[in-house]
Each structure stands twice: as C-alpha cells, then as structure tokens.
Amino acid sequence: MLSLAMQTLRFRLGGFVATFVALFFGSALIMACGGLMESGVREAVPAQRFAAAPIVVTGDQKYDGSTLAERVRLDQAQVRTVENVPGVERAVADASFPVAVVRDGRPVTDLPDSATGDEHRPLGHAWESARLAPYTLSSGERPTATGEVVLDSGLAERAGARVGERVRIVVAGRGEEFRLTGVVEQSGGRAASQPAVFFSDVQARAFDGGAVDAIGVLPEPGTDTAELRERIDEVLDGGAVTLTGDERGLAEFPQAAASQKNLVMLSAIFGGWAVLVAMFGASSTLGLTVQQRQREMALLKAIGTTPAQLRLMILGETLVVAVLAAVLGCLPGALLSELLFDQLVDAGIISGAIEFRQSLIPAVVAVVASLVAAVGAAYLTARKVAETRATDALASSAQEGGWLTRVRIVLSVLFLTGGVAMAVMTVTMMKGDLTASTAGPACIMWAIGLALLAPGFTKAIVWLLQGPMRLLAGLTGHMAVLNSRAHTIRMASTVTPIVLLTGVATGTLYMQQIEDASHRTSRNGVLHADNVVTSEVGGLAPGTLDRVRQAPGVDAASSYVTSTGFVQSPEDADQTGDGWPLQGIDDVANLAVPAATGSLADLRGNSVVLPVERAEALGRKVGDSITLRLGDGTPVKVTVVATYHPKGDATALLLPAPLLVTHTTDGVAKQILVRHAAGADPDEVTAAVTALVKDQPGVEVSDSEALSAARTGGQQQLATINYMVVGLIVGYTAISVINTLIAATGRRRREFGLQQLTGFTRKQVMVMMGLESALTAIVGVFLGTVAATITIFPYSMAKLDDVVPSVPLWIYFTVVAGAVVIAFAATLVPTWRATMSRPVEAATSAA
C-alpha cells in the first residue's frame, strides 16, 4: 500500500498541494516562535565593556524571582574584598552615569524612548575602567586632570571633535566644556552598542558619587576561571553575584534579564496560539482533501482492499507530504524568526543587548508538531473511511452522511467550556496586564469550538437564507442552496479558517483598543499636568524646579519620578512578577485625585499613598506601615498617609519624589509637571517655562501628551506585540482560507461540466459559486464574531467596567470586508479556471 500511496501522490498532485501549503506555512510559523523562545532561554548577552574581564561581579538584580527595575549597586569595600581573593591580579570598579555630548545645542546621540533601549544611551566612566573592554587610544592620550575627556570614535565623529578641541558635555543636567585629550576604539574589532565617555578618575568620582555598578576581575595568569569564581562567591557570601561567559553582559545591561523573561513569555503565548491555529488549520485542510476522495476509497474497498490497507495508504500519503512540507517550512521559519526578533528590538520590547540564537531544536519542534497535526488528522479520517462499508461509502461519496460524531462533540464541548472559563477568569480574577493572558485564549478556544460545530451552524444558516437567495437569484440561488445543504461538511471545512480569521483579528484588535482606552482613563485620572518639562539627557539642572515654580502663570510644579517596586510586607497576594508601578511627586497640587481617606498633604518623608483597592487587599489603613522593596532592591518602611480611588486600570503607589529618586539608576528627576494657574493664558505660560530651560540641551517643554507617552511606553510595546500576533496568525489563516477554498472548488470541475451539459451557462456557474461563497462568508463571519465577543465583552468589563466598549466599528467592518474578499477571490478564480475547459472533458474528468 505504500507504493500505491506514492503513485497516488504522483497522479493527484493537485489534491495534495493544499495539504502541503497548510503544513508548510504552519511549520514556518512554529519555527519562528521556537527561535524566539530559544533566544530568550539561552540568555545570551555578550559582554562589551567587560570583554577583557573573564569574571564580573555585580549587584543581584533579582528579588523573589523577579528582575528589579533599577540598578543594584555594590559597596566600595567589596572592591577590596574581591581584589584580596587569591588568584585575582586586579579588581577594577566601574560606575556609569548618564551623559550627553552636545553639538549646536543638541545631543549628538538621540536617546531611546523605551527603557529597554538603554544600551544605546551614552554613559560616562572613569578612565580606569577602560581596560575592561579593553579600549585603546587611537589618538591622543588619557584624561588625567579635571576638565579633560576621552570619547569613543563614534561619539567623536558625530560631535565633529578632534583631539585638543573643546567639547560640550551635559552631566546631571549641567553643560560644561571639556578638552578632548583622546579618542578610543574597542579592541578586537568589536563595536560597542553603548557610546562611552571617559573622564579622569578623580572627576568621575565626583560625578558618580563613589558608586560601584560592577567589578571587573582580571585574574592572574594561569588561574582557572571556574575555581576563581567559586572563591569569589565564598568571600562575598551572597552579597553580590558573579558572572562569566555571555552572562557578563547582564552587568552592563541589567534590564536585559527582564527582556529575556518577556521574550520567553511572548514566544510561549504567541507560540501556543500559533501552534493551535496552525495545527487546526492543517487538520481542517487535510480532512477536506481526504473527504473529497470518498468515492475512490469506496471503490478500493469494493475490490477487496482491507481497512488496515486503506489506513496505511492514507497515513503513508500524509506522512510523505507532511515530512516534505514541515522540513521545507523550517527555512523560511528561521528567517521569519530572526526578522521578528529584530522587529521586537526595534520596537523596544526586548533589549538589543540580547543576541539572537537559533539551533536545530526549534526545527525539530516544528517538524514534530506538523507531523502530529497531519498524522492525527489523517488517522481520524482514515479510521472513519476504513470503518465504513463499501456500499455505504459509495453512497456517501455522493451524499454526505452524519457529521455529529462523538469525537467532534467532546472536542467542541472542551473548547467551548475552556473559552467560557477563560472569559469568567478575565472578569473575576485577572488584574492589570494579566487580563490579556486569559481574554486572548478565550477567543481562540471559542473559534475552534464553534468551527467544530460549523456543519450544524451551516445547515441552520442555509435554511434561514434559502428563501431570500431563491427569491433574489432564481435558479442559480436554488442550486447554491441545494449544494450547500447537500455538502455542509465540505462547506464547513471552508468556513473554519474564516472563523479563525474573523475571531482572532477582531478580538485582538479590539482588545488593544480597550487597553488604550483603559490607560487613557487611568493616566488622566491621577496626575494633573498642563506642561511637562522633560530632560532627554538624564536629568535637569539643579534649581530648575524652583525657577519653574516662580514662572508667571504657574500654579504648581512638581518633580516626577517613576519606577517599579514590590510590597515586601505584608504579603501581597495580588502582586505579579512585574511588581507595582511607583510614582514620585513632591507637590500634591499636581495630583488630580482627592484623598479617599487621610490627607495627601502628608505625602513627605517615608510615606505612601495607596489605591483604595491595594490598601484593602493588604489590610492596611491610614497610619499603618508597609515595607516596600524599591527598584534598586532597597527595603524601605513607609507609613500609609492616604488612599485614593484610581480611575481605569491605574495601580500606582504614590511616594515622595525625594524618597523614590535616590533609589533609581540615574538618581535624578527627569521630568517636571507644571500646572497652570486658573485664568492664565496657556500659550504664555508655556512660553515662559520654555524660556527658563532653553539653555539646557536636550530639555523640552510639551503638553500633557509627553507624560502620556512616557507612561504608556509599555502599552505601545503591548500594542506592537498584539499587532504582530494578529498579523502573523491572520496571515496564516488567510492563506488557509485561500488554500482550502481553492482545494474545495478545484475538485468540483466534473460537477461544473455536468451542469453546463444540462444547460447551465458559464455565467450561471460563476453566479452560483459566488452565492455559495457568500453563504460561506456569512457563516464564518457570524461564528468568528461570536468568538470575538468572548474576548471583547469580558475584557471591557475587566478594564473599563463597561460591557459594551466605545470602540471604532470600522475595524470590525475592515476585518469582515477582508474575509469576504478573500472568500470570493479564492472561490471564483478557481471556478473560472475550472470552467475554461470544454464541458464534455470536464464531465468525464476524475472527480
């Protein structure tokens, strides 16, 4: 039977092209997700500035399994401790601080908008740490005195500066003139992604305050790195962590660890959706292909072929096609994976310090998953064919039998029940960003569950529409209705990808609209800022806040600091691995919410204002204390001085800016919130504030949208992820729609020939198929819409406390229009080609 299977493939290539296409693109999609997953799991962050140090000691950026938002620094004493370890030749301390090289009043390097893009931000260092890269002087000499500086070659080129010339550099908001004494290149031909500025050791200490970000360990010649690492770990006794190999890059880019976690979670969620959709789409296409050969299978049984031989033939055919399609799909999948990785880096979702890594493991997973989907679908179809008697099979080849099998019932109940459970969890249990983790899968589950019941829905909808179609289209409408009623299983196979296309696209796009609306509500409901003064170079000059407060028309001005922290005590059951957002202000007049309990004016010193829901969950009221673990890992005991009712999905804990800013990486406030006095002219106030900071390079004054942009960076990243998910999955399902409809239509060439011989014109055949396409699109869009509502309504309840959200209808109509156009094109084009031949030849061709 295996030889017969190979011959069948030779003479029925057209019938197997659909299966090949579905498995090919499914394998590519799974491979793409696998490459992202492997890059996140491998944690490859190659060292740049620490390339010459085999061991790097840094602060522990982990708290309770989560990555801290700010850099955890070391004590100066730990440098001497490490240097005294046997086998250590030199322990070199490194500290970084934000700087900007200025040319013509503007920084020569644009700073990234997202936190994950910090690897491109220029940083200042002491010259002593240059040996850790190592950097070597390509011209000039090292800085030895105050007022001297060395730039890396990239910065020097952008600044247009030569050795001996004066260069303007901004540090902590202050612009100063420095003499360029040298230009450096990183050894080994590597180009560091993070621009470096080197000061004399004495001046660097004045800028960084004596802080230590990391310690580069230079071993004595012949020292074993692994043994030395163990000795260093022993003397540090848990006070820090030691890094070797590709882990050393985490000392330079600590937030890359959070990016790796995000990449793993993203690829897991995206991959799970992709695998489910790809396997279901491939199974649907394969089932249709085998179903169209029922007459052939019946004849084989009639001449003595045993059920086991039929199963072996079908499985053999499927295995050959599946192996070829899955293996070939891995190549474009690998390219797609790297393309997606680059897009995620460009969008700021993951750090550019992470290297893309891809081995054969994702390819193996993609091939195995594709084979499981294909062989599973082939086995179920072959089992049904093999268990049918020859006479029944011949009859069913002309007239479809029952569709409501036990397997279909069980699977549909499981998927629909799972979708309901996910929807309930969305409303009752999920908070914050976790809400999407249940709302999205609910849409997928309902789409698949409804698709499994598509034959029944098809029968019902065709019955409802048969009258209007016959009335409007006459004989062609009558034929379209008869075909749809007689072949509901075949029609349901073409409906399935349309259900997935409509449901996934509509649900995910409207989820993003709801998320944006929720965030607009929450951000506008806590802070009041008519203007936002923002520094792009790591801080505002000292005294800026006081000058802004004295500007004409300014009613209030406050420093604004953001970070992320954790509630250490009491235990917070609702706390996620990402912690809680922290917002620091020093003038409560810039708050737009009243106190629910307590007084906002008491927000000073070691104090905190909690959302009412957080206070209730923690069992704390005004006057009680909680312990926070701030962004740099420092535990701080604070007193609850007030609570407030946030709007939308806001969950921020409010702290005094002076308390929060000292526990951030840069240690300075980068924004000032400005509130205009009642009756003041907005343009005049904005102009007055702008005049106060015009001499500070990289400082801009804008409206409250700047604050929105800063606080919604994560939401924009989430939007990018959602659109990428929609784009790829919808792209695959669109291919499945086209693929399935072409396969279903192309096999009806004999039917079209017989119709033309009985008096039908080619135009009538085209109209009939157009009406069938309309029915297919109506059923698919209807079921897809039902699946999407399982995402939209619960998600809106959870995010906006509103069952029906105010979202633009054009998104839904665009998705529907796309599905309809695809359905018509994929049906009418192959129909037009199938009716080009002479009716007699078509009528006598193989079915």
Side-chain angles (χ1 to χ4, degrees), residues 749-762:
R749 182 168 173 257
R750 184 171 180 268
E751 175 190 332
F752 299 152
L754 289 172
Q755 288 175 340
Q756 287 180 284
L757 287 175
T758 58
F760 255 56
T761 65
R762 189 181 182 192

Side-chain angles (χ1 to χ4, degrees), residues 99-101 108-109 122-123 150-161 167 183 194-197:
V99 299
V101 180
V108 299
T109 303
L123 293 178
V150 167
L151 303 180
D152 69 28
S153 57
L155 274 178
E157 181 180 354
R158 284 192 287 270
V167 180
V183 176
Q194 193 161 50
V197 178

Side-chain angles (χ1 to χ4, degrees), residues 64-129:
D64 197 22
S66 301
T67 301
L68 293 167
E70 313 292 343
R71 179 181 286 278
V72 178
R73 291 191 161 89
L74 303 171
D75 295 330
Q76 279 284 353
Q78 290 175 303
V79 180
R80 295 187 294 274
T81 300
V82 172
E83 196 163 42
N84 291 332
V85 173
V88 175
E89 181 180 282
R90 185 72 184 272
V92 181
D94 178 69
S96 305
F97 47 93
V99 299
V101 180
V102 178
R103 181 181 184 182
D104 298 329
R106 294 290 304 167
V108 299
T109 303
D110 292 331
L111 299 185
D113 294 329
S114 63
T116 54
D118 282 347
E119 63 271 6
H120 301 297
R121 181 175 65 166
L123 293 178
H125 310 273
W127 173 256
E128 180 186 28
S129 66

Side-chain angles (χ1 to χ4, degrees), residues 11-316:
F11 294 103
R12 286 190 176 273
L13 288 177
F16 289 98
V17 167
T19 302
F20 177 88
V21 171
L23 292 171
F24 176 85
F25 284 102
S27 173
L29 198 58
I30 297 170
M31 177 72 181
C33 299
L36 296 179
M37 172 70 78
E38 184 175 1
S39 298
V41 171
R42 285 186 177 273
E43 298 185 347
V45 187
Q48 297 180 18
R49 285 190 294 105
F50 297 130
I55 302 174
V56 178
V57 181
T58 188
D60 188 358
Q61 289 291 145
K62 296 291 185 181
Y63 169 71
D64 197 22
S66 301
T67 301
L68 293 167
E70 313 292 343
R71 179 181 286 278
V72 178
R73 291 191 161 89
L74 303 171
D75 295 330
Q76 279 284 353
Q78 290 175 303
V79 180
R80 295 187 294 274
T81 300
V82 172
E83 196 163 42
N84 291 332
V85 173
V88 175
E89 181 180 282
R90 185 72 184 272
V92 181
D94 178 69
S96 305
F97 47 93
V99 299
V101 180
V102 178
R103 181 181 184 182
D104 298 329
R106 294 290 304 167
V108 299
T109 303
D110 292 331
L111 299 185
D113 294 329
S114 63
T116 54
D118 282 347
E119 63 271 6
H120 301 297
R121 181 175 65 166
L123 293 178
H125 310 273
W127 173 256
E128 180 186 28
S129 66
R131 68 175 64 192
L132 297 175
Y135 282 98
T136 57
L137 286 162
S138 59
S139 61
E141 58 185 19
R142 58 178 289 179
T144 57
T146 300
E148 295 181 346
V149 72
V150 167
L151 303 180
D152 69 28
S153 57
L155 274 178
E157 181 180 354
R158 284 192 287 270
R162 299 181 180 179
V163 173
E165 295 180 348
R166 308 293 294 181
V167 180
R168 185 169 178 79
I169 298 177
V170 177
V171 184
R174 285 183 177 172
E176 300 182 32
E177 296 285 338
F178 293 85
R179 187 174 70 87
L180 183 63
T181 63
V183 176
V184 292
E185 297 275 0
Q186 190 169 359
S187 299
R190 295 181 300 271
S193 64
Q194 193 161 50
V197 178
F198 294 98
F199 299 88
S200 67
D201 295 341
V202 173
Q203 187 154 40
R205 296 290 182 272
F207 288 146
D208 63 34
V212 178
D213 291 347
I215 304 170
V217 179
L218 303 176
E220 294 176 350
T223 302
D224 182 82
T225 300
E227 293 180 0
L228 181 56
R229 180 181 184 177
E230 291 179 0
R231 290 198 291 269
I232 294 174
D233 284 336
E234 289 178 4
V235 299
L236 291 175
D237 193 25
V241 294
T242 55
L243 307 173
T244 58
D246 281 345
E247 294 178 333
R248 294 172 297 164
L250 294 174
E252 302 175 50
F253 314 110
Q255 294 312 306
S259 290
Q260 290 170 336
K261 177 183 175 182
N262 292 339
L263 186 57
V264 171
M265 292 179 61
L266 169 63
S267 57
I269 296 172
F270 180 24
W273 286 26
V275 168
L276 200 58
V277 172
M279 292 180 69
F280 194 75
S283 300
S284 176
T285 304
L286 183 63
L288 175 65
T289 302
V290 176
Q291 176 198 343
Q292 290 174 336
R293 298 168 58 196
Q294 281 188 342
R295 182 176 180 81
E296 173 189 331
M297 301 298 176
L299 290 172
L300 285 173
K301 293 192 71 173
I303 62 174
T305 305
T306 65
Q309 288 175 321
L310 274 180
R311 286 195 295 266
L312 183 61
M313 185 189 76
I314 294 174
L315 290 174

Side-chain angles (χ1 to χ4, degrees), residues 634-671:
T634 303
V636 176
K637 189 174 184 179
V638 292
T639 302
V640 179
V641 296
T643 62
Y644 72 99
H645 286 290
K647 295 182 180 179
D649 203 31
T651 54
L653 280 60
L654 306 180
L655 298 168
L659 170 63
L660 185 59
V661 73
T662 56
H663 297 281
T664 59
T665 297
D666 294 337
V668 291
K670 300 178 184 178
Q671 289 184 308

Side-chain angles (χ1 to χ4, degrees), residues 160 249 273 426 800:
W273 286 26
T426 299
L800 303 175

